[in-house]
Amino acid sequence: RVPQRFRQLAECGMAAAIAPATEAPDEVLLKIFSYLDGKTLFVHVSRVSQRWRALVVETPFVKLNLSLFTKLIPPTYLRPTLVPGVGGNRFALSNPAPAAAAVDAFLKRASAFKHIASVVHDSLDARSGERVVVADSLVLGLAARSPNLTELHAAGLSDASARQLATHCPKLQRISLASRDLTNGTVAALAVGCPKLTQVQMNGCDLLTDRAVEDFCAQLPNLVSVDFGWNRRLTNASVLSVATHCPRLTVVNFKHCRAVSDEGVLALAQNCPSLEVVDFHGAAELTDGSTVVLFERCPRLKSVCVSSVSRMTDKSLNALASHCPNLEVIEANMCSGLTDAGVVTLAERCPKLKVVLLGYSSQLSDVAGVALGTHCPNLRKIDLTYAEDMTDQTVLAIARNCPMLEDIDLSFCQASDVGVVALAENCPQLTNVHISRLKVTDASVLALARHCPGLKTAGFLQCAELTDVGIIILSERCSQLTTFISNGCSKLTPRAFSALKRNCPHLRKF
């Protein structure tokens, strides 16, 4: 059918004035292409015609994903190599002389790189879940030919390659370098060569020390986001350096830096009042003495992670509830000092909560669970693992009031089919469900299959009453499943697992 507008134009004799998009001038198409994302350009637009494919390479796009960029390079230029790695095969672009020369030649021909502002390398493929490694030469080639580069995410770069970024990318503002090879010298070079840096992520860099963080922060007082998580050599001195030199901070992450103590957190509270995100997961030395002050002096906090901070009690939750009304994320797994009273106060005063992780908190009961379900309608994710006193009352409160819920873990609680069926019926957006060791039957599985077609993770550990019937129907209606956990489900037979393999092509863990 011809749209009404075009029929009117045809009647007026103006149809001839309308030219198809494929005939538009190059400069017009380039302008249009510049507003499209890399995936649309590389995967779809480039297939329209040879002319459009040539224009895609010349498009002044500003953001590039390396995993998509490789699709533009002719296959003969790249030699994929399978390398055994943790969690599956690691796909690396091999780097012998012919392949490297071909990539370099391609980079020189693509004049559009002068417009690139962002280069992103996804180290984990979203579809296959496998690690993806891109050769350093490709990352450096892009950096060297992108003088306006302001953002770079490249996991796994060697120390020598990372140091060259300081020379090639003086305009960098955001950088993410998760590399075990990164040394203190390279971090110092980046601080000097990239003076405009405001956001830094350097987690898992095992060779970094407190001295490197001190020198880095001293050179970059305008930092607003720092992520030094998983750096086991860093101590409380690094937190003090960050707090002292970077008063504009909004994001601080020292996850699994176990030496962080009250002294560092108090310095952050005193010097960085604009904090919005803090992560001190695993900081076992922290107490209410510092966290209460932090929450009182940083009212803009939206995300707080204090999991495994075992000394924290309801005093901290009360301070958080009283002073941070915009809180959206609270991660407090394995905080044994929390009770129903603190959680109720938090739920009542922080209605914007979207993520609540309170797993392994043995003192919590339905009082806390019902409060969360009643007062936090925006919940997307909740973890109540090992809350052994929580029953269907909690699950029903969540089901009735949190329709946007996507992820829930009720493992080892006291819920049953009553709660899980209600949850499936009222929360159709569920993608991750863990109901391990609950007293559930096929009724729960069938409800999930019927109402939650987007389910990706199903955890049914030690659910002894589940049978092949429920699992087969689940596999047929939830074909996007990627993870299925059923250890201890004694009634399941190979027939159920065969159905999962047949009907769920993305399943990689079960």
Side-chain angles (χ1 to χ4, degrees):
R1 298 178 60 186
V2 180
Q4 176 73 16
R5 184 168 65 88
F6 287 104
R7 286 204 302 271
Q8 293 174 352
L9 290 173
E11 293 171 359
C12 298
M14 298 178 62
I18 304 175
T22 53
E23 297 181 11
D26 289 357
E27 57 270 20
V28 174
L29 290 174
L30 286 172
K31 183 65 175 179
I32 295 173
F33 292 171
S34 68
Y35 292 101
L36 301 178
D37 60 273
K39 181 176 182 179
T40 301
L41 282 171
F42 298 162
V43 179
H44 302 293
V45 174
S46 64
R47 295 180 179 178
V48 173
S49 66
Q50 291 184 353
R51 173 174 172 246
W52 279 34
R53 183 177 178 84
L55 287 174
V56 165
V57 179
E58 300 298 325
T59 300
F61 51 86
V62 297
K63 188 168 183 176
L64 182 64
N65 188 313
L66 290 187
S67 62
L68 294 171
F69 164 75
T70 56
K71 298 180 185 299
L72 271 184
I73 304 177
T76 54
Y77 286 0
L78 303 176
R79 300 180 180 180
T81 303
L82 289 178
V83 182
V86 178
N89 289 325
R90 303 179 68 180
F91 290 87
L93 300 180
S94 62
N95 208 12
V103 171
D104 190 60
F106 180 83
L107 291 172
K108 288 180 180 179
R109 289 201 304 271
S111 61
F113 294 143
K114 65 184 179 182
H115 301 283
I116 294 178
S118 172
V119 172
V120 179
H121 163 44
D122 293 332
S123 60
L124 186 65
D125 186 87
R127 176 171 295 182
S128 66
E130 295 167 338
R131 296 289 173 182
V132 181
V133 179
V134 172
D136 284 11
S137 59
L138 186 55
V139 178
L140 292 177
L142 284 166
R145 292 167 178 80
S146 306
N148 294 314
L149 193 66
T150 60
E151 179 178 8
L152 176 64
H153 298 261
L157 274 186
S158 68
D159 184 65
S161 297
R163 187 174 296 227
Q164 291 185 48
L165 294 175
T167 303
H168 295 314
C169 310
K171 296 183 180 180
L172 271 181
Q173 297 175 18
R174 297 173 294 280
I175 190 170
S176 175
L177 297 173
S179 172
R180 293 183 177 180
D181 297 333
L182 208 62
T183 63
N184 290 351
T186 295
V187 173
L190 286 170
V192 174
C194 307
K196 296 184 178 181
L197 280 173
T198 59
Q199 299 180 29
V200 177
Q201 182 180 21
M202 296 181 182
N203 45 26
C205 304
D206 293 341
L207 301 180
L208 291 190
T209 66
D210 291 330
R211 180 58 185 272
V213 175
E214 164 72 23
D215 295 341
F216 187 80
C217 294
Q219 290 282 343
L220 301 168
N222 293 322
L223 285 173
V224 296
S225 175
V226 294
D227 181 352
F228 292 116
W230 298 90
N231 292 325
R232 55 189 179 184
R233 292 191 178 189
L234 299 187
T235 69
N236 200 52
S238 291
V239 185
L240 290 170
S241 298
V242 168
T244 302
H245 297 294
C246 308
R248 300 180 183 178
L249 283 174
T250 60
V251 178
V252 171
N253 186 340
F254 279 92
K255 187 173 188 174
H256 286 289
C257 297
R258 301 183 181 279
V260 173
S261 69
D262 286 342
E263 184 182 4
V265 174
L266 287 172
L268 284 172
Q270 182 176 0
N271 298 324
C272 306
S274 299
L275 281 173
E276 296 180 5
V277 179
V278 294
D279 190 337
F280 297 114
H281 185 142
E285 298 300 318
L286 289 187
T287 68
D288 289 329
S290 62
T291 52
V292 168
V293 176
L294 180 71
F295 301 152
E296 290 175 347
R297 297 192 179 184
C298 300
R300 299 181 185 178
L301 280 172
K302 294 181 179 180
S303 177
V304 173
C305 178
V306 285
S307 293
S308 299
V309 180
S310 56
R311 298 185 182 183
M312 195 179 78
T313 70
D314 286 345
K315 290 182 180 179
S316 292
L317 284 190
N318 291 333
L320 190 59
S322 299
H323 299 279
C324 305
N326 295 318
L327 190 70
E328 296 180 359
V329 178
I330 175 67
E331 298 183 26
N333 285 326
M334 293 180 282
C335 292
S336 56
L338 303 184
T339 70
D340 287 340
V343 176
V344 169
T345 302
L346 187 71
E348 292 175 346
R349 298 189 182 183
C350 299
K352 296 181 181 180
L353 279 169
K354 295 180 180 179
V355 177
V356 176
L357 308 185
L358 296 171
Y360 301 91
S361 299
S362 57
Q363 298 190 61
L364 300 185
S365 70
D366 282 330
V367 175
V370 171
L372 287 169
T374 303
H375 299 289
C376 305
N378 298 314
L379 278 179
R380 303 293 200 280
K381 179 178 181 179
I382 186 167
D383 183 353
L384 300 173
T385 309
Y386 271 107
E388 297 178 344
D389 292 330
M390 287 191 180
T391 68
D392 284 329
Q393 290 185 36
T394 292
V395 185
L396 289 172
I398 294 171
R400 292 166 181 165
N401 300 297
C402 307
M404 294 180 286
L405 192 69
E406 299 174 1
D407 190 324
I408 187 167
D409 195 333
L410 298 169
S411 299
F412 303 92
C413 296
Q414 298 300 316
S416 67
D417 283 334
V418 174
V420 177
V421 170
L423 194 69
E425 293 175 347
N426 292 282
C427 304
Q429 298 183 39
L430 280 171
T431 57
N432 300 299
V433 175
H434 292 269
I435 52 175
S436 297
R437 209 173 179 179
L438 299 192
K439 297 177 181 179
V440 295
T441 66
D442 285 340
S444 292
V445 179
L446 293 174
L448 290 169
R450 187 177 301 114
H451 300 287
C452 307
L455 197 66
K456 294 183 178 180
T457 300
F460 302 141
L461 180 72
Q462 297 181 18
C463 293
E465 297 302 315
L466 300 188
T467 70
D468 290 350
V469 175
I471 302 305
I472 290 173
I473 295 177
L474 183 75
S475 71
E476 293 172 348
R477 298 192 179 185
C478 300
S479 59
Q480 298 181 45
L481 273 175
T482 60
T483 302
F484 180 82
I485 303 172
S486 61
N487 306 65
C489 297
S490 55
K491 293 185 179 181
L492 296 186
T493 71
R495 184 164 165 256
F497 299 116
S498 296
L500 285 166
K501 288 183 178 180
R502 181 174 61 254
N503 298 321
C504 304
H506 304 302
L507 195 65
R508 63 176 185 268
K509 180 180 179 181
F510 76 100

